[in-house]
Amino acid sequence: MADEKLPSLDAIKDLSPATLGDTRAELVHVQRFLQRFGYLERGAYEPQQLDKPTADALRTYQERNSLETTGEFDAGTRDLMTESRCALPDMLDGVAFATRCAWNRRELTYTFDIGTNDTAGTTEFDAVRRALRTWSAAVPIGFTEVTAAQNPDIRIGWRPANDPDLSMVGGTLAHADFPPGCGVVTNALPKPVHFDDEEHNWSAGAAADSFDVETVALHELGHILGLGHSSVSGSVMFPTVRPNFTLQSLTADDLSGVRALYPERAWQRIGHANDVAGMAALGSKLYCATRGNNRLWMRDAVAWDVNWVDIGHANNVVGMTALGGKLYCATDNNRLWMRDPVPWEVNWVDIGHANDIVAMAALNNKLYGATRDNNLWMRDPVPTNVNWIDIGHANDVAGMAALGSKLYCATRDNNLWMRDAVPWEIDWVDIGHANDVAAMTALNNKLYCATRDNSLWMRDPGR
Ligand SMILES: [Ca+2]
Ligand SMILES: [Ca+2]
Ligand SMILES: [Ca+2]
Ligand SMILES: [Zn+2]
Ligand SMILES: [Zn+2]
């Protein structure tokens, strides 16, 4: 993006009103402002004169920013133009845009480089981390902090005003860029989130003559996710910001924009599954145990309704999973059982205890169980009685599955959660909804669940 001919906001501030046909040297700064932020095409106007193209650009600027659309340089226009703002344009190629494009993945990484001495210690980084959490709480996007050596997607730091990738000289405070494929600063990674440390004071919270890091970071991270500037005054994505001010939560306008870019993954109904007490998946097959009649069933893991085939008994099941060519189930008498997944009746073998299980999953040679007392446990899938190890919490679980390196669970409050399958306590992240789940499993990069209304569903894993 060309940075020559930066507007002087001081020159704009001192400029008296101008109307169509007026010619004054300082008007060139108004024209440079309009050009810099996408309202006026380079070379398409007479410098220093409020000509027709300049009047049209003023009108567009006024309309977008809820000002009276006079097409003149008036006091209201002057006041807004001289407010501090984001360095990214409002329009591109003369076109206003609410969103640019989305990332083609939903797990992003970031790193910090240089902080600012305006704030104590690294409190500015904490403020940016809070802004990241605000966005990831609103849409199924995850941000993980990594080191600069780990190829981060986003690199965050403070810069001189004359920032080499996009100048922030003058009233512009910060800039970011749009996702790969629709960038205006760079299409390489990492994408920048840069704050001008030279010309502005930064603070954590509202402070006189200072800009709140979290407020500005929230705005810039909106660009990183693909949002453009909003014309809704008071929204996070509105391009201007005042000192001594905070806006640390998303408005309805911001939410509708970002949710259009990153919709929640939907469950697709793929058939029936009546009265399910436990579900597992192995090879290309789904297995389920049914409650009332204590039977075990098998069907193909295909995306349409097919019949379940009865392959034996499965009495009083409270949780089921499959691993390494075996089916496992926990029963309401606190026992754990194993059998081959063959399509005929065989006996289940008792391989130990499994107390108060509500759901089971299996991954990478480990069995996982969630219990009624809201704990999560892990044990080896050996045919002997071994101890389960407590690896954290799992509250109010209705169904559990494992896939890749992740555990998934559906809870009785109809949410779907994900965490790493690591042998220690970590938080579950909310990745959407899963209504009325009776049992859940996973296979070949899909999650499956049976619901209490006897339907079988499938969706993509992850956020
Ligand atoms: Ca600092
Ligand atoms: Ca600046
Ligand atoms: Ca500073
Ligand atoms: Zn911006
Ligand atoms: Zn930069």
Side-chain angles (χ1 to χ4, degrees):
M1 189 180 289
D3 290 324
E4 80 271 37
K5 296 182 179 175
L6 289 170
S8 161
L9 295 192
D10 286 338
I12 295 176
K13 202 172 287 174
D14 294 337
L15 197 55
S16 50
T19 57
L20 188 64
D22 284 359
T23 304
R24 244 178 297 157
E26 297 74 22
L27 275 172
V28 79
H29 294 289
V30 173
Q31 292 171 316
R32 285 176 188 168
F33 179 99
L34 293 167
Q35 184 183 311
R36 165 75 194 260
F37 297 111
Y39 296 92
L40 186 56
E41 199 186 326
R42 170 197 308 268
Y45 57 90
E46 188 60 45
Q48 307 180 10
Q49 188 191 107
L50 207 167
D51 59 358
K52 174 79 167 43
T54 304
D56 289 345
L58 278 168
R59 211 170 277 116
T60 309
Y61 176 74
Q62 290 159 343
E63 191 178 358
R64 259 193 73 82
N65 292 285
S66 311
L67 297 167
E68 200 187 338
T69 52
T70 58
E72 299 175 357
F73 179 74
D74 52 26
T77 304
R78 182 191 61 209
D79 291 349
L80 192 67
M81 279 187 174
T82 50
E83 268 189 32
S84 299
R85 58 162 289 151
C86 176
L88 288 179
D90 300 339
M91 320 242 297
L92 285 169
D93 303 322
V95 179
F97 54 93
T99 59
R100 286 283 289 163
C101 71
W103 289 77
N104 61 9
R105 52 200 161 85
R106 290 179 168 198
E107 298 289 343
L108 305 179
T109 58
Y110 66 95
T111 199
F112 292 105
D113 48 36
I114 306 154
T116 174
N117 290 329
D118 298 351
T119 62
T122 53
T123 50
E124 67 272 32
F125 296 163
D126 293 333
V128 176
R129 290 184 188 109
R130 288 194 296 275
L132 286 161
R133 278 198 295 274
T134 300
W135 284 112
S136 62
V139 281
I141 284 282
F143 296 104
T144 304
E145 190 166 340
V146 297
T147 67
Q150 291 174 281
N151 300 316
D153 297 314
I154 307 157
R155 188 170 177 130
I156 303 158
W158 273 255
R159 293 290 182 278
N162 193 11
D163 184 10
D165 66 348
L166 183 63
S167 174
M168 298 185 280
V169 171
T172 50
L173 289 174
H175 80 86
D177 195 13
F178 302 106
C182 61
V184 298
V185 177
T186 173
N187 268 317
L189 296 180
K191 288 286 180 174
V193 174
H194 290 163
F195 301 84
D196 176 354
D197 199 14
E198 185 180 335
E199 298 179 327
H200 313 280
N201 284 322
W202 297 94
S203 57
D209 301 320
S210 293
F211 292 91
D212 175 44
V213 174
E214 187 173 343
T215 299
V216 175
L218 195 62
H219 174 97
E220 297 305 332
L221 291 166
H223 292 314
I224 288 288
L225 289 175
L227 294 179
H229 281 148
S230 172
S231 58
V232 176
S233 175
S235 70
V236 167
M237 294 316 294
F238 195 70
T240 67
V241 63
R242 288 176 282 121
N244 196 6
F245 168 83
T246 64
L247 175 55
Q248 300 172 341
S249 53
L250 303 173
T251 68
D253 181 64
D254 305 306
L255 288 169
S256 71
V258 78
R259 284 180 178 154
L261 282 175
Y262 303 97
E264 188 186 321
R265 296 184 195 280
W267 288 95
Q268 172 193 357
R269 190 180 184 280
I270 59 165
H272 67 284
N274 298 345
D275 210 17
V276 169
M279 193 159 58
L282 199 61
S284 62
K285 302 290 184 187
L286 298 178
Y287 298 84
C288 81
T290 45
R291 199 176 301 277
N293 56 5
N294 294 325
R295 301 305 297 169
L296 181 65
W297 307 79
M298 184 181 82
R299 62 158 269 181
D300 286 328
V302 288
W304 52 89
D305 201 353
V306 291
N307 281 333
W308 291 88
V309 180
D310 185 330
I311 61 167
H313 70 283
N315 297 345
N316 302 318
V317 167
V318 290
M320 192 160 69
T321 191
L323 183 68
K326 297 287 181 188
L327 293 178
Y328 297 85
C329 79
T331 47
D332 68 358
N333 59 352
N334 298 329
R335 300 308 299 172
L336 183 65
W337 307 79
M338 185 179 81
R339 63 158 271 182
D340 287 326
V342 289
W344 54 83
E345 173 88 59
V346 290
N347 280 333
W348 289 89
V349 180
D350 185 327
I351 60 166
H353 69 284
N355 297 346
D356 267 341
I357 293 282
V358 290
M360 281 180 70
L363 187 70
N364 296 336
N365 208 35
K366 294 289 178 190
L367 300 178
Y368 296 87
T371 47
R372 216 168 288 289
D373 63 359
N374 297 330
N375 281 311
L376 181 65
W377 306 80
M378 185 180 83
R379 63 157 267 180
D380 289 327
V382 289
T384 51
N385 190 13
V386 291
N387 281 334
W388 291 85
I389 301 162
D390 186 337
I391 59 164
H393 68 283
N395 298 345
D396 241 357
V397 168
M400 192 160 63
L403 196 63
S405 59
K406 304 285 185 189
L407 295 176
Y408 294 86
C409 81
T411 46
R412 300 214 178 273
D413 63 359
N414 298 330
N415 283 309
L416 183 65
W417 306 80
M418 181 177 78
R419 59 159 269 180
D420 285 329
V422 287
W424 53 83
E425 165 91 67
I426 51 166
D427 283 339
W428 291 86
V429 253
D430 186 340
I431 60 162
H433 74 280
N435 296 344
D436 240 359
V437 166
M440 193 158 73
T441 192
L443 184 71
N444 296 336
N445 208 33
K446 295 285 181 192
L447 297 178
Y448 295 86
C449 80
T451 47
R452 297 201 182 278
D453 64 357
N454 298 329
S455 290
L456 182 66
W457 305 80
M458 184 179 81
R459 66 159 256 179
D460 288 327
R463 291 181 211 256

